[in-house]
Amino acid sequence: LKRLSWLKASSIHPASHPPLPSTTSAMKTLVQEETIKVPKGIKITIKSKIVEVTGKHGSLKRDFKHLPIELYLANSGHEVRAKMYFAKSKQLSMLRSVCSHINNLFDGVQKKFEYKMRLVYAHFPINATITNGGKTVEIRNFLGEKRVRTINMLEGVKVEKSTGTKDEIIITGTDIDCTSRSAALIRQSCLVKDKDIRKFLDGVYVSSHGTLED
């Protein structure tokens, strides 16, 4: 009897049995929905996940076909709804991203985006010339170099010199992507090479950005 009781005790000992593999996985949400309101004075159409927005500053189009979401107009065209089924928590983040992109389309056709850039130099004054009707910038005398840096703005973007501030250029456009990328092209054209960038701080830098006030 003693031996039998010992065998029973050893057979249920936790050390004798390895733990069962965990079968739990990341939870999936059945359905998640995000809603944004369409501002007054803006016309919007959605067809096959292609969003087209028209306002007082023109028309913008954006394609969301690469995302596994449902995108449609609701409330008689006064709301945009983005819906997603059976998604994990990280996948749900694309819903808010889509809404942010559409909000940027609204701001672009309603107000326009503006990027202000300052010409920064210690000794050699940087000379920026606007040509081609505000579609091209020519930068001269960067660190005393003879090379002329020519930067063409992207589609729908204009550049001009600031009237109130010295050594400042202003980039405006309806598309936030093209406007910000045009500013980046100017910034990257004036990078200091083969010198200590902590000491040589010359360049063209974005000082502020946002929407144009009406």
Side-chain angles (χ1 to χ4, degrees), residues 1 4 7 44 51 72 75 86-87 89 98 103 127 141 145 150 160 166 184 188 190 193 196 198 203:
L1 284 170
L4 279 170
L7 279 169
I44 179 169
V51 180
Y72 60 96
N75 195 7
F86 303 110
S89 58
V98 167
N103 274 324
N127 183 5
N141 203 35
E145 294 175 13
T150 305
E160 60 186 7
K166 183 176 177 281
Q188 290 171 339
C190 295
K193 306 287 185 184
D196 188 350
R198 296 170 297 177

Side-chain angles (χ1 to χ4, degrees), residues 104-121:
N104 283 334
L105 296 180
F106 292 155
D107 286 343
V109 296
Q110 230 180 1
K111 304 173 187 174
K112 280 195 176 185
F113 291 98
E114 177 186 67
Y115 277 69
K116 291 183 178 179
M117 302 187 80
R118 297 295 296 269
L119 310 175
V120 179
Y121 52 85

Side-chain angles (χ1 to χ4, degrees), residues 180-199:
S180 56
R181 280 168 55 205
S182 297
L185 289 172
I186 295 173
R187 166 81 184 92
Q188 290 171 339
S189 71
C190 295
L191 297 178
V192 177
K193 306 287 185 184
D194 304 323
K195 291 183 179 66
D196 188 350
I197 57 170
R198 296 170 297 177
K199 181 72 177 171

Side-chain angles (χ1 to χ4, degrees), residues 8-190:
K8 284 178 183 176
S10 64
S11 65
I12 57 168
H13 196 270
S16 62
H17 290 284
L20 290 168
S22 176
T23 55
T24 57
S25 59
M27 287 273 291
K28 285 190 176 182
T29 310
L30 286 178
V31 60
Q32 180 90 357
E33 192 179 71
E34 287 278 348
T35 306
I36 48 174
K37 289 185 178 177
V38 179
K40 281 185 181 178
I42 284 181
K43 187 186 173 187
I44 179 169
T45 57
I46 300 173
K47 189 176 180 182
S48 306
K49 289 195 266 193
I50 297 174
V51 180
E52 191 167 356
V53 177
T54 308
K56 64 179 181 181
H57 290 302
S59 180
L60 289 174
K61 190 185 278 188
R62 187 148 192 151
D63 191 345
F64 296 106
K65 280 186 178 178
H66 60 288
L67 298 176
I69 61 166
E70 197 177 288
L71 203 60
Y72 60 96
L73 288 171
N75 195 7
S76 304
H78 295 295
E79 283 181 351
V80 179
R81 287 187 186 166
K83 200 182 276 187
M84 199 170 188
Y85 298 93
F86 303 110
K88 295 178 184 176
S89 58
K90 279 194 177 178
Q91 293 167 330
L92 289 174
S93 63
M94 70 178 72
L95 279 180
R96 191 68 239 160
S97 298
V98 167
C99 293
S100 298
H101 283 311
I102 295 171
N103 274 324
N104 283 334
L105 296 180
F106 292 155
D107 286 343
V109 296
Q110 230 180 1
K111 304 173 187 174
K112 280 195 176 185
F113 291 98
E114 177 186 67
Y115 277 69
K116 291 183 178 179
M117 302 187 80
R118 297 295 296 269
L119 310 175
V120 179
Y121 52 85
H123 185 269
F124 295 103
I126 300 172
N127 183 5
T129 311
I130 312 295
T131 58
N132 198 12
K135 291 185 177 179
T136 307
V137 189
E138 291 178 354
I139 295 172
R140 291 178 172 84
N141 203 35
F142 174 69
L143 289 178
E145 294 175 13
K146 299 291 181 194
R147 183 164 79 86
V148 178
R149 290 164 165 82
T150 305
I151 306 104
N152 294 311
M153 298 294 100
L154 297 171
E155 190 181 350
V157 181
K158 277 203 165 189
V159 61
E160 60 186 7
K161 280 193 172 182
S162 174
T163 52
T165 312
K166 183 176 177 281
D167 294 329
E168 184 179 68
I169 57 174
I170 299 170
I171 299 154
T172 53
T174 54
D175 190 340
I176 190 171
D177 283 354
C178 291
T179 311
S180 56
R181 280 168 55 205
S182 297
L185 289 172
I186 295 173
R187 166 81 184 92
Q188 290 171 339
S189 71
C190 295

